Amino acid sequence: VLLAAQLEERVAGVYADLVRATTGARRGAAAAALREATVRSVRWSGQSVAFPGLAERVDEGTGAAGTTPSAAASTAP
């Protein structure tokens, strides 16, 4: 059961990247697939996250959808 939840979380990450990278009908389809993968993950694990598809990237030291923060974005004003 936990393996199924982990697989759905990883699939959600791929769909989140696709949502970020596309526009139009493809983006809508990717968003729908992201939502469906998230629902399946929650059903398997009984737990949810605030931003599905992005939570696993917090541990990787990158920002949203796998982007690396720029030096300008990380400096204080």
Side-chain angles (χ1 to χ4, degrees):
V1 173
L2 291 178
L3 177 60
Q6 289 176 348
L7 289 173
E8 292 294 353
E9 288 173 10
R10 290 184 182 187
V11 167
V14 172
Y15 284 127
D17 288 342
L18 189 58
V19 167
R20 181 175 176 265
T22 61
T23 60
R26 282 192 181 156
R27 186 175 191 170
L34 170 59
R35 181 181 62 245
E36 292 168 11
T38 301
V39 168
R40 288 190 302 266
S41 175
V42 170
R43 286 182 182 159
W44 283 113
S45 70
Q47 299 175 343
S48 65
V49 294
F51 300 101
L54 301 179
E56 70 273 9
R57 287 169 170 69
V58 172
D59 295 333
E60 294 176 4
T62 60
T67 59
T68 305
S70 67
S74 63
T75 58

